[in-house]
Amino acid sequence: MKKCILPAVCLLLMLAFLFVGCGGGGGSGDAISSSWLGLTADPDIAGNLQVDIRPSSVSVRPGQAIALSVFVKDGYGHPANDIKIAFASQLGGTFDDKTAETSNGWVSTTFTAGTQPGTESIIVMTSAKSFSKPLLVQNPVAVNPTIQIVTSADTVQVGSMVTVAIGVSENGVPSNEVEVRLSSTLKGDFGSDSGKVENGWFSTTFKPDSDTAGVGTLTAMVNNASASKSLSVVKEKMPNPVLSMSVSPESIFPGQTASVIVIAKDENGSPSSSEIFMLSPSLAGGFNPASGKPVDGVFITEFTAGNEIGSATLSARCGEATASTILSIEKPEIVMKVSPSMSTVKIKERVPVSVLVTDTFSRPIDNAPVYLSAELDCDCSPEEGRTNDDGYFFFDFVASTTAGVSKIHALTTGATGSAQITVVGP
């Protein structure tokens, strides 16, 4: 009898153990996790990437260029290196680099909005997934631009023709495709009294009537803005200037481009077709093109400023004649933004951080010096460097062994920036 009872008791104990160990057959008991058993889900690079798309502005104007960074993490939350990504846009925006590869999780480029207003979608594609970020492309608004009027002569003989050029810029950038309308208090005819600006300029001619003499005003209007210039018409023969020159806009920042116009006339006052050569500027910078033949007496080129600040004298030569104009190269207002990839870290942990340097128009500033420091005995690695072509500098924040709030301090020429990271225990 005892021989039968002992095996039965053992069998009952085994069944009870199995029942309890399995959670009571559907009760609320704690189950053993698969990670405890060593069966973790595989955070493979292809299927579990986390992608953070960071445009430098949440809204842009049509055609505006802004800096764009992307931070990629693997399934563990660590920066993912050597991940190939591609960029796309829903509303026709463009990217300086259509493809890129991550370094310490980061990629940067410059995004230029298309002409269509609406909700844009910046798309980042990896080998297995795609990610997107909305961006508002604002409706175009009528802007009162900066206007200037240039004539081939301030004084013209009755019945003679004068070349008139209208320079138009907006926010320090030469305008395109805006409408110009012209009028005159002098009796006479414009070659065309309206037209579209190209590369910052619209040019035409004005010929006073044969019985017109005196001082009058030429007026140019763009949107609700206007500019005027005096023109004197005399009966006696006047020596005609051969070369005149102007620039639009009249002031820019280092590295920016202004449009330069040269108006050439021959000794008879007719538009000249002789080759024009741009001379070396008084400050760093260059012309593109540096020479060329005028069309209907008008030659247009571009000047891109170097890194020097001050008044640059721009000059041109045509035969024995020369002309010059002054371009102001001003120090821009700088904006600096520090963006950690995480707001909270553990002690001794490394966290990727980006620094973006732009001007007040959100245009990236490349090669800007960046100097870094962190509070709470934390480190920045490296502590200094220079921004890339997209205005970014990437570094690691290295937490110390002390818990608390650490403030990152960033410094560049003309601006400072900061960000906070909370350091917690292990």
Side-chain angles (χ1 to χ4, degrees), residues 253-256 283-285 304-310 329-330 332 365-367:
F253 297 146
Q256 291 186 327
L283 294 181
T304 301
N307 294 322
E308 294 183 279
I309 305 296
I329 303 175
E330 302 176 350
I365 297 177
D366 66 336
N367 203 37

Side-chain angles (χ1 to χ4, degrees), residues 275-363:
E275 184 109 6
I276 293 175
F277 299 91
M278 307 307 296
L279 306 179
S280 298
S282 60
L283 294 181
F287 294 97
N288 184 29
S291 63
K293 290 190 174 183
V295 178
D296 296 327
V298 175
F299 173 68
I300 296 177
T301 184
E302 291 182 339
F303 175 78
T304 301
N307 294 322
E308 294 183 279
I309 305 296
S311 296
T313 301
L314 311 182
S315 303
R317 177 175 60 83
C318 180
E320 298 299 321
T322 60
S324 63
T325 189
I326 300 296
L327 173 65
S328 178
I329 303 175
E330 302 176 350
K331 184 178 179 180
E333 293 184 36
I334 305 300
V335 178
M336 195 176 200
K337 184 178 180 181
V338 183
S339 302
S341 59
M342 297 176 63
S343 59
T344 303
V345 300
K346 296 180 181 179
I347 59 173
K348 296 184 179 181
E349 189 176 3
R350 300 176 73 96
V351 175
V353 183
S354 71
V355 174
L356 174 61
V357 181
T358 67
D359 62 21
T360 51
F361 300 112
S362 298
R363 290 175 290 206

Side-chain angles (χ1 to χ4, degrees), residues 41-381:
D42 181 18
D44 61 279
I45 292 297
N48 291 287
L49 289 178
Q50 304 170 56
V51 176
D52 185 7
I53 304 170
R54 301 182 177 191
S56 59
S57 177
V58 296
S59 64
V60 295
R61 300 185 307 275
Q64 182 182 359
I66 61 171
L68 172 69
S69 67
V70 175
F71 183 64
V72 183
K73 296 184 290 185
D74 62 21
Y76 291 110
H78 301 148
N81 286 317
D82 303 324
I83 302 300
K84 294 180 180 179
I85 64 174
F87 295 99
S89 161
Q90 188 174 10
L91 294 183
T94 58
F95 302 86
D96 276 7
D97 301 303
K98 292 182 179 180
T99 60
E101 192 168 289
T102 60
S103 175
N104 199 24
W106 290 109
V107 160
S108 70
T109 187
T110 299
F111 170 76
T112 302
T115 57
Q116 181 180 346
T119 302
E120 171 68 281
S121 183
I122 295 177
I123 303 168
V124 173
M125 295 171 287
T126 65
S127 59
K129 291 183 179 180
S130 66
F131 307 82
S132 64
K133 180 81 172 182
L135 181 71
L136 177 63
V137 181
Q138 300 172 344
N139 287 312
V141 295
V143 178
N144 292 334
T146 301
I147 308 171
Q148 57 177 305
I149 302 180
V150 184
T151 56
S152 57
D154 294 330
T155 302
V156 64
Q157 187 179 2
V158 170
S160 296
M161 185 180 297
V162 62
T163 301
V164 182
I166 314 301
V168 185
S169 62
E170 176 190 340
N171 293 332
V173 178
S175 299
N176 274 299
E177 296 299 317
V178 297
E179 184 81 14
V180 176
R181 290 173 292 165
L182 296 169
S183 63
S184 173
T185 59
L186 296 166
K187 291 183 179 180
D189 295 314
F190 288 99
S192 177
D193 61 5
S194 65
K196 297 280 189 179
V197 172
E198 293 183 11
N199 197 24
W201 292 97
F202 168 72
S203 63
T204 185
T205 57
F206 178 74
K207 185 176 181 180
D209 289 349
S210 58
D211 58 351
T212 297
V215 178
T217 302
L218 305 180
T219 300
M221 179 173 287
V222 178
N223 295 334
N224 294 319
S226 63
S228 299
K229 179 178 175 61
S230 297
L231 180 66
S232 179
V233 181
V234 296
K235 293 184 177 180
E236 65 271 17
K237 183 174 177 63
M238 296 292 299
N240 290 294
V242 175
L243 218 56
S244 62
M245 183 177 179
S246 193
V247 61
S248 176
E250 295 177 316
S251 63
I252 58 174
F253 297 146
Q256 291 186 327
T257 298
S259 185
V260 181
I261 189 169
V262 182
I263 302 174
K265 299 178 66 176
D266 61 23
E267 62 276 6
N268 297 319
S270 301
S272 173
S273 60
S274 299
E275 184 109 6
I276 293 175
F277 299 91
M278 307 307 296
L279 306 179
S280 298
S282 60
L283 294 181
F287 294 97
N288 184 29
S291 63
K293 290 190 174 183
V295 178
D296 296 327
V298 175
F299 173 68
I300 296 177
T301 184
E302 291 182 339
F303 175 78
T304 301
N307 294 322
E308 294 183 279
I309 305 296
S311 296
T313 301
L314 311 182
S315 303
R317 177 175 60 83
C318 180
E320 298 299 321
T322 60
S324 63
T325 189
I326 300 296
L327 173 65
S328 178
I329 303 175
E330 302 176 350
K331 184 178 179 180
E333 293 184 36
I334 305 300
V335 178
M336 195 176 200
K337 184 178 180 181
V338 183
S339 302
S341 59
M342 297 176 63
S343 59
T344 303
V345 300
K346 296 180 181 179
I347 59 173
K348 296 184 179 181
E349 189 176 3
R350 300 176 73 96
V351 175
V353 183
S354 71
V355 174
L356 174 61
V357 181
T358 67
D359 62 21
T360 51
F361 300 112
S362 298
R363 290 175 290 206
I365 297 177
D366 66 336
N367 203 37
V370 176
Y371 303 95
L372 301 161
S373 64
E375 299 175 355
L376 207 67
D377 291 329
C378 299
D379 293 322
C380 298
S381 179

